Amino acid sequence: MDAIVVERCQGKALAGSLDTATDEQLLDQYRDFGDRAAFAALVRRYERELYTYLRRYLGNALAAEDVFQQTFMLVHQKVAQYESGRPVRPWLYSVAVHQAIDYHRRDRRHWLPSLDRFAGTNKDEMAPMAAALSDPAEAAEADDTGRLVREAIDKLPETTRQIVMLVYFQGLKYREVSEILGIPMGTVKSQLHAALMKLNRLLQIAGVSE
């Protein structure tokens, strides 16, 4: 099977059983029976979510598309290794994260994270930054806020940068990020807190938050 497996499911409507199946059931179906409709359903289910993450991390639509394709090609190639019952969402993100990191390392020219939209949270520590960037697209184009945040995120260690992207931008839970990155959940929490405090301090110094 080649890159065709990651086409955007433009054919017939999916059967009702596939629409209501869990991610795990879809991957089991593809692994055990080679059901391409099940695989296509999984691709379409995660298309927007994973592409959004890749677009934000890589800052380049074509790069995001390439890595999205690579991600699901790798899922196809490794589907025999999938263990029934293992949550699919963290596994897909783990593949996508590592593919994105590899792409970034190969061509750092693509590193320009887009601040298209923040995945809202209820954490008080995030409020100043969210308020300052209530319209991230406008901020990135019209003033220094977007540039400041991009530069600050770019300077974070790779693992910390991924934690910020996955928790704050994608809205993943701590335990999911812990599984994706292979680090303790306490490390996820502490690194996220430290990173957001640093970003908020930079915004305060720049006079864009109180």
Side-chain angles (χ1 to χ4, degrees):
M1 184 177 295
D2 54 25
I4 293 176
V5 299
V6 194
E7 289 179 350
R8 293 295 187 258
C9 308
Q10 296 176 343
K12 297 180 180 179
L14 295 173
S17 59
L18 295 181
D19 284 338
T20 58
T22 65
D23 299 340
E24 292 71 28
Q25 289 171 334
L26 290 175
L27 205 54
D28 279 343
Q29 183 76 2
Y30 184 61
R31 181 199 59 201
D32 296 340
F33 304 105
D35 188 339
R36 294 182 61 159
F39 188 80
L42 189 66
V43 172
R44 189 156 80 173
R45 187 173 291 181
Y46 278 92
E47 178 178 22
R48 178 175 296 182
E49 181 178 341
L50 279 181
Y51 176 82
T52 297
Y53 155 73
L54 293 169
R55 177 67 179 85
R56 283 170 173 160
Y57 178 74
L58 296 169
N60 181 290
L62 292 178
E65 181 69 20
D66 286 346
V67 176
F68 181 87
Q69 294 275 343
Q70 293 167 12
T71 295
F72 276 94
M73 279 303 302
L74 198 57
V75 169
H76 156 68
Q77 293 167 3
K78 293 188 174 184
V79 69
Q81 301 174 18
Y82 172 70
E83 299 178 2
S84 296
R86 179 182 180 181
V88 168
R89 189 184 189 215
W91 188 52
L92 289 179
Y93 265 98
S94 180
V95 175
V97 164
H98 288 94
Q99 289 297 302
I101 290 173
D102 288 345
Y103 190 99
H104 179 212
R105 287 171 178 167
R106 289 195 302 269
D107 190 352
R108 292 185 64 86
R109 292 174 302 170
H110 288 288
W111 172 243
L112 183 62
S114 169
L115 298 176
D116 298 329
R117 191 179 301 255
F118 284 85
T121 70
N122 293 322
K123 297 180 175 62
D124 292 339
E125 62 189 355
M126 299 179 184
M129 186 163 65
L133 300 179
S134 58
D135 187 350
E138 179 180 349
E141 296 177 4
D143 57 37
D144 291 336
T145 304
R147 175 189 57 78
L148 180 64
V149 175
R150 285 197 302 271
E151 290 177 354
I153 293 176
D154 193 20
K155 292 176 182 177
L156 293 173
E158 183 59 47
T159 299
T160 306
R161 182 188 304 140
Q162 287 292 350
I163 291 171
V164 172
M165 298 293 290
L166 294 171
V167 174
Y168 190 38
F169 286 81
Q170 295 300 109
L172 271 69
K173 297 177 180 179
Y174 293 141
R175 60 175 175 77
E176 291 178 314
V177 176
S178 173
E179 181 176 348
I180 290 166
L181 299 180
I183 58 177
M185 191 161 64
T187 301
V188 173
K189 293 179 180 180
S190 62
Q191 289 196 20
L192 178 66
H193 176 81
L196 292 173
M197 291 299 96
K198 179 178 180 179
L199 293 174
N200 283 329
R201 284 196 299 270
L202 288 173
L203 291 177
Q204 291 169 358
I205 293 172
V208 294
S209 66
E210 297 180 355

